[in-house]
Every structure is written in structure tokens, then in C-alpha cells.
Amino acid sequence: MRVLVVGSGGREHALAWKIAQSPRVEAVHAVPGNAGMREVARCHPGLDGSDAEALLALVRAERLDLVVIGPEAPLAAGLADRLREAGVAAFGPSAQAARLESSKAWAKDFMARHEIPTARFALFDDLASARDYVRAGDGPCVVKADGLAAGKGVSVCDDATQALQALEDIMAERRFGAAGDRVIIEERLLGEEASYYAITDGEHVVTLAAAQDHKRALDGDLGENTGGMGAYAPAPVVDERVEKRILEEIVHPTLRGMVQEGHPYTGVLYVGLMIDAQGNPRVIEYNVRFGDPETQPLLVGLESDLLPLLDGAARGSLEEVAPPHFEGAAVCVVMASGGYPRAFEKGLAIQGLEAVGAMSDVVVFHAGTRLDEAGAYVTSGGRVLGVTAHAESVALARDRAYQAVSGIHFEGRHYRSDIAARALSRR
Ligand code: AMP
Ligand code: GLY
């Protein structure tokens, strides 16, 4: 098979790396790809991953069989629809189905229609009524901008004062632009978060492992929300009993609901969950693509071939594919630019990549790097690298990942030193 991966982050590097190992693969291309991905894929930095016509031209020229779409924005814009109309197999949902992520309000209404457990919520189009609602409630709550805001449009509030400030930012100052035309005010859920990944062709489901992300910038879950500072899999909070409930109460009802409403969901459904002390799972949010950085440990720990799963989901033949096998545990530590998620410097030299790349059971995925004129790697983004290790246990994988991290240097490098600590403190 000849495969195209759309996107340029650590997630897409991990996807291309894993796809390239398939015995069934003949070629891997990436649009636009990134500097680190060149080792596993032919990158097309001049092409725009959201330009369907440019992608179709490449698909024809290179006789590509499958397009795997990494990020949510092109899915929400209808890229998978356009490819399928042209007869090209695409991994990822239609624009209508992608509303599970692209409109939080639509997703909340969908969950209400299908009795899928989630936080109680109210929706507001105007600031005055949103303010009234917050003042009347005056307890902990969560305020969210409705549209896509790159994971940053959410404020978890302790009281009304904080919630009013969040409303002000979103609706009056329009910090997230049009994404803030509408807000959702939710009950604040308590418990432990986990990310659950179900690959589906609309009807059949296979699950990878459950993972845990670390969204805050600093150790101890302090500091600002980021795209994710590290992740590990499997997440022990999702034991067999909890997993069964996630499937029965959330994943299957979601897929059935999408079929009933005329928008069958295909691709990967990534459910962000809060699991309370009694093991009750509730949906925090849906995502319609793989998580980043979660995909990095998920794929490094996946022993079996990923390609048949992606292809089976794209073609509606997932039933025929053997279930995936995840071995041991994997931990990914994100090395970020100093200052991230706020302003940071770019173009700083990265040292140690070669030696660390040669370590066994370690893979360094690139997210924000580029090559300078001399052909050396320099920083070019907030999240620079995802240093990912695989071992028999979370503890060993974590030690190995941090050993690798200590061999990589760039000025101002910042990473959390407590990735996977929650899994270890459980014992
Ligand atoms: P989201 O972009 O919806 O995933 O929200 C970002 C983060 O905010 C989540 O990962 C949670 O940590 C937190 N969050 C969102 N909604 C809730 C909720 N209803 N209760 C508690 N925490 C929440
Ligand atoms: N790591 C969080 C996300 O991909 O949305």
C-alpha cells in the first residue's frame, strides 16, 4: 500500500513511523510533514494539508491508496468528504461527523439526545444571560468557548468570580474570535482523566490502549493549559471493568447515535473522560482524531501492525482485522521551548539527537523542529520533541524516557519531570 499522512506534528511523525513498519506498506508520504519525518516518509513541505485539490493531485501522481488525516481542522472543513467523493480511501470522519469535536454545543446536545453520560451544561449566545446563570449558580463550574480554540478555550473555575472573568475574555474581549460567539457553562466533574481511543468503521470497534495526557505546563499539574506535555499508556485507571463501561455506556451509544442521525462515524474516536472514585466514566469531550502527544506512546507500545486498522476503518472492513496488541507500557516526555505555551524563541540548535536516537526502545518524535542552512536541527515550535520510551512497565519506560531526555539539549528547554507519576503512585 501507498499511504499519505496529512499533518506536521509529533502525532503525524508517530503515525508515519508506525505505518512505515507495516509489512504491507510500499511508500509513505507526508503533507507537509516535518524535518524529523523525513526518515520515515517522503515529505512535501510545499503543499498545504488543507488544500483538497492539491492532495488529490498528489494522490493521483503517486498512486496513493490511503490518506490518513492527522489534525481536526481539515476534518472539520470536509477533507475526508472531498477525498471520498473522488474515490480515495480516507481515514477520518466526515465534516458532519466531525462536529463531535468542532462544535462543543452540538456534541453536548448529541450526548443529551442519546443519554451519554457527561457534565450537566447550559448554552448561551449572549453575555448577559450567561452572567445571570453564573451568578445564580455561584459554585465551581467550567466555561468553554464553543468553537475550535486549540484546546485553550476552556476555563475550570472555582467560583462565580473566575467564571465571570472567563466569560468576559471569551465573549466581550473575544480572545478566541468567533469560537466565542457561544459559550457552554458546565458542571465541574471530579475524578481522574483518561483518553480512550476507539478505531471504527462506523459499526465495528477496535480499541488501542487508554492513555493519560498531562495538559498543564508545570509539574504537579500547575501552570497554564498546553497542547500536552507528556503522556503514557496504558492508563491504570481504565481497568477491565471501567473499560467495559466506557464501551457500553459511551463508545457504542455514540456510534449508534451517529448512524441513527445519518452521519456514521469513521476514523478514530478519542474520548476525553473523567472517571470518578466509583469508576463511573463521563465524557469531558470528544475528539475526532488521534491525541497529541498520546499517540506517541500508544503507537510505540503497539506491537501489531497499525495499517490494517487504519485501512479497515477507512474501507468499512474492520471486522476482518485481527485485534491490536499493546505490549508493556510506553511513556512520552515532551521537550518544549522555554516560555511555551506563551511566547518563545525559535531557531535554537538542538544537540544530542543522534546519540539518543541510537538508544534501544527509545524513539524521538519531532513536533517543532526544522533544519538550518547547515543541515542541523533547530527548534521551530512550542512543543519541540516527544521523547518516547517502551518497556515492560510504566516505571521502567519512564526511567528510560528521562534518561533519553537528559541527553538532548537546547537553550531554554523545558519539560515536566513528573510524567506518569500518577500511574506510579497507585501501587
Ligand atoms: P476540553 O478542551 O474540553 O478537553 O477541556 C480541557 C480540560 O479542561 C480538560 O482536559 C479537563 O482537565 C478540564 N475540563 C473540561 N471540562 C471539564 C468538566 N466538566 N469538569 C472538570 N474539568 C473539565
Ligand atoms: N493531547 C490532547 C489532544 O490531543 O487534544
Side-chain angles (χ1 to χ4, degrees), residues 5-18 29-38 40-41 43 49 68-72 74 227-228 289-296 299 332 334-335 340 363-370 380-388:
V5 175
V6 175
S8 63
R11 163 182 53 211
E12 287 78 20
H13 189 176
L15 284 164
W17 170 85
K18 184 67 187 169
H29 288 250
V31 170
N34 68 37
M37 285 168 79
R38 292 168 315 133
V40 290
C43 296
V68 178
I69 303 165
E72 62 276 19
R289 33 87 194 170
F290 282 105
D292 199 5
E294 294 97 311
T295 304
Q296 301 175 45
L299 296 187
C332 167
V334 170
M335 297 184 75
Y340 174 76
V363 193
V364 180
F365 294 114
H366 290 229
T369 70
R370 65 175 174 80
S380 72
R383 293 191 290 179
V384 178
L385 301 165
V387 179
T388 310

Side-chain angles (χ1 to χ4, degrees), residues 22 88 193 200 233 274 276 309 363 419 424:
S22 172
V88 177
E193 282 185 59
T200 177
M274 188 73 87
D276 72 13
L309 300 175
V363 193
I419 301 302
L424 301 173

Side-chain angles (χ1 to χ4, degrees), residues 392-406:
E392 285 147 49
S393 66
V394 176
L396 290 171
R398 184 209 44 184
D399 291 349
R400 190 80 176 148
Y402 279 110
Q403 198 188 341
V405 162
S406 68

Side-chain angles (χ1 to χ4, degrees), residues 13-71:
H13 189 176
L15 284 164
W17 170 85
K18 184 67 187 169
I19 292 168
Q21 291 168 32
S22 172
R24 290 176 49 190
V25 86
E26 212 184 291
V28 185
H29 288 250
V31 170
N34 68 37
M37 285 168 79
R38 292 168 315 133
E39 285 180 19
V40 290
R42 219 174 102 200
C43 296
H44 301 269
L47 294 183
D48 172 1
S50 58
D51 181 347
E53 301 316 311
L55 293 180
L56 278 171
L58 182 70
V59 163
R60 292 189 188 111
E62 296 291 340
R63 294 170 290 107
L64 304 174
D65 305 297
L66 174 69
V67 180
V68 178
I69 303 165

Side-chain angles (χ1 to χ4, degrees), residues 104 108 119 142 144 151-156 186-190 193 215 225 274 283-285 287:
K104 289 183 189 287
K108 291 300 275 189
V142 181
K144 304 184 177 186
K152 293 175 193 129
V154 175
S155 299
V156 179
E186 284 186 12
E187 163 198 10
R188 181 166 162 186
L189 299 174
L190 297 177
E193 282 185 59
K215 287 203 165 118
N225 260 322
M274 188 73 87
V283 178
I284 294 176
E285 61 163 0
N287 295 288

Side-chain angles (χ1 to χ4, degrees), residues 3 30 50 55 59 64 68 76 100 108 146 172 189 199 201 213 226 233 235 248 252-253 269 308 311 322 325 363 372:
V3 185
S50 58
L55 293 180
V59 163
L64 304 174
V68 178
L100 284 174
K108 291 300 275 189
D146 178 41
L189 299 174
I199 293 182
D201 59 7
D213 188 11
T226 69
E248 283 173 7
H252 287 297
L269 182 69
D311 191 52
H325 174 64
V363 193
D372 68 7

Side-chain angles (χ1 to χ4, degrees), residues 95-427:
Q96 291 288 319
R99 284 179 299 175
L100 284 174
E101 176 169 0
S102 63
S103 169
K104 289 183 189 287
W106 190 86
K108 291 300 275 189
D109 283 336
F110 172 86
M111 286 186 264
R113 286 197 291 282
H114 297 282
E115 294 175 16
I116 292 164
T118 187
R120 284 190 306 276
F121 70 102
L123 274 176
F124 298 94
D125 294 312
D126 73 288
L127 183 55
S129 12
R131 278 192 187 124
D132 290 346
Y133 180 85
V134 162
R135 289 199 187 100
D138 196 21
C141 69
V142 181
V143 177
K144 304 184 177 186
D146 178 41
L148 292 177
K152 293 175 193 129
V154 175
S155 299
V156 179
C157 307
D158 295 325
D159 53 35
T161 313
Q162 288 179 6
L164 289 169
Q165 183 57 48
L167 286 174
E168 205 64 35
D169 284 353
I170 297 171
M171 298 194 98
E173 287 170 27
R174 300 181 62 80
R175 200 169 140 206
F176 308 103
D181 285 346
R182 245 176 154 189
V183 294
I184 297 164
I185 302 176
E186 284 186 12
E187 163 198 10
R188 181 166 162 186
L189 299 174
L190 297 177
E192 189 169 338
E193 282 185 59
S195 308
Y196 194 77
Y197 290 87
I199 293 182
T200 177
D201 59 7
E203 191 185 343
H204 306 102
V205 173
V206 300
T207 52
L208 296 176
Q212 233 163 17
D213 188 11
H214 298 66
K215 287 203 165 118
R216 302 292 195 97
L218 307 175
D219 283 7
D221 291 328
L222 299 173
E224 290 190 88
N225 260 322
T226 69
M229 293 298 294
Y232 66 96
V237 63
V238 181
D239 59 19
E240 224 172 286
R241 195 180 61 90
V242 171
E243 174 158 23
K244 188 161 176 281
R245 293 193 54 187
I246 294 170
L247 285 166
E248 283 173 7
E249 296 169 28
I250 295 168
V251 173
H252 287 297
T254 301
L255 300 179
R256 274 199 302 273
M258 294 302 284
V259 168
Q260 275 166 20
E261 298 195 7
H263 308 295
Y265 185 93
T266 69
V268 57
L269 182 69
Y270 147 18
V271 195
L273 296 163
M274 188 73 87
I275 296 158
D276 72 13
Q278 288 73 47
N280 297 306
R282 291 203 275 171
V283 178
I284 294 176
E285 61 163 0
Y286 290 112
N287 295 288
V288 300
R289 33 87 194 170
F290 282 105
D292 199 5
E294 294 97 311
T295 304
Q296 301 175 45
L298 276 175
L299 296 187
V300 165
L302 183 67
E303 290 280 294
S304 49
D305 193 357
L306 176 69
L307 187 54
L309 300 175
L310 303 178
D311 191 52
R315 291 179 211 273
S317 58
L318 202 52
E319 200 183 12
E320 298 153 23
V321 181
H325 174 64
F326 190 93
E327 179 68 37
V331 172
C332 167
V333 177
V334 170
M335 297 184 75
S337 295
Y340 174 76
R342 302 242 165 181
F344 52 83
E345 209 177 319
K346 294 183 186 175
L348 303 168
I350 306 172
Q351 273 114 27
L353 280 174
E354 207 165 318
V356 169
M359 284 172 68
S360 58
D361 301 319
V362 171
V363 193
V364 180
F365 294 114
H366 290 229
T369 70
R370 65 175 174 80
L371 292 171
D372 68 7
E373 298 70 31
Y377 284 112
V378 297
T379 64
S380 72
R383 293 191 290 179
V384 178
L385 301 165
V387 179
T388 310
H390 187 203
E392 285 147 49
S393 66
V394 176
L396 290 171
R398 184 209 44 184
D399 291 349
R400 190 80 176 148
Y402 279 110
Q403 198 188 341
V405 162
S406 68
I408 299 175
H409 297 271
F410 50 90
E411 202 186 311
R413 69 181 188 157
H414 163 65
Y415 57 87
R416 277 182 61 164
S417 62
D418 64 347
I419 301 302
R422 194 176 276 128
L424 301 173
S425 64
R426 289 187 149 246
R427 310 244 170 84

